[in-house]
Amino acid sequence: METSDPQASGAQPSRVASQEPLAEASASSQGHFDIVDLAELAEKQRWWHKLFDNESELSTEKGSMATQLLIGGVTGWCTGFIFQKVGRLAATAVGGGFFLLQLANHAEYIKIDWQQVERDMKKAKEHLKSQRSTHIPMEVKSKAEEIALFVKSNILMAGGFLGGFLLGMSS
């Protein structure tokens, strides 16, 4: 049984022109077959660098409109679905804890000093009034500006995410 070897027959190996890193790897081999490390190639060419790269000026350069909407929609749906499940679990835990505390209070396992609770609430309310500030902390302001810039530069993906998030919350 004979195997055909392109080197033995003198034929040049086919080169892939559309994939730049693969083309460079095959061009550097000059007729010799080298092993292309796909893990190393993937480290250098991550897909999200192309989508979220700050150097590109237009969002249309980051991918097609359908791709951006699809990625935003899928991630939004997953986030909304998980948010709904975690929110339901948290509400159940808080409600169940409150129910158990009321049951324990009714069965006189615990006794709550409601006058002390009221005094503590008044103190906390006064403390919050004295600490009230109209200035937004710089960290919050810079993070809000960063998010607004991201949404403006990725409006298609952000719109897809919002739609997917709402669908995920309703499912």
Side-chain angles (χ1 to χ4, degrees), residues 4-57:
S4 63
D5 184 12
Q7 291 176 341
S9 65
Q12 290 290 328
S14 62
R15 298 208 163 116
V16 179
S18 63
Q19 301 291 330
E20 187 175 306
L22 291 176
E24 290 175 7
S26 64
S28 66
S29 66
Q30 296 178 356
H32 300 289
F33 289 104
D34 291 337
I35 296 174
V36 176
D37 188 6
L38 293 179
E40 182 179 318
L41 184 64
E43 283 290 321
K44 293 178 184 174
Q45 298 292 324
R46 293 182 188 246
W47 62 270
W48 57 82
H49 287 296
K50 292 178 183 177
L51 287 175
F52 300 117
D53 192 14
N54 289 335
E55 293 176 4
S56 63
E57 296 172 7

Side-chain angles (χ1 to χ4, degrees), residues 72-164:
V74 169
T75 55
W77 183 85
C78 291
T79 304
F81 186 76
I82 290 171
F83 192 79
Q84 175 205 29
K85 296 298 181 187
V86 170
R88 186 178 295 164
L89 179 68
T92 302
V94 169
F98 182 71
F99 176 74
L100 289 175
L101 281 174
Q102 289 297 327
L103 188 66
N105 185 32
H106 182 70
E108 297 181 357
Y109 286 116
I110 60 173
K111 181 161 175 52
I112 299 174
D113 185 5
W114 290 108
Q115 292 175 350
Q116 180 67 35
V117 171
E118 188 175 343
R119 284 193 300 267
D120 289 344
M121 292 301 287
K122 284 182 181 177
K123 284 182 187 177
K125 187 176 178 181
E126 290 172 9
H127 180 70
L128 286 175
K129 281 184 180 179
S130 67
Q131 295 292 325
R132 185 178 293 174
S133 175
T134 58
H135 300 292
I136 299 173
M138 198 61 183
E139 297 85 19
V140 174
K141 193 173 187 178
S142 66
K143 189 54 84 173
E145 289 172 355
E146 184 179 330
I147 291 170
L149 179 65
F150 177 80
V151 169
K152 284 179 185 176
S153 63
N154 297 292
I155 192 71
L156 291 173
M157 200 172 304
F161 181 86
L162 179 63

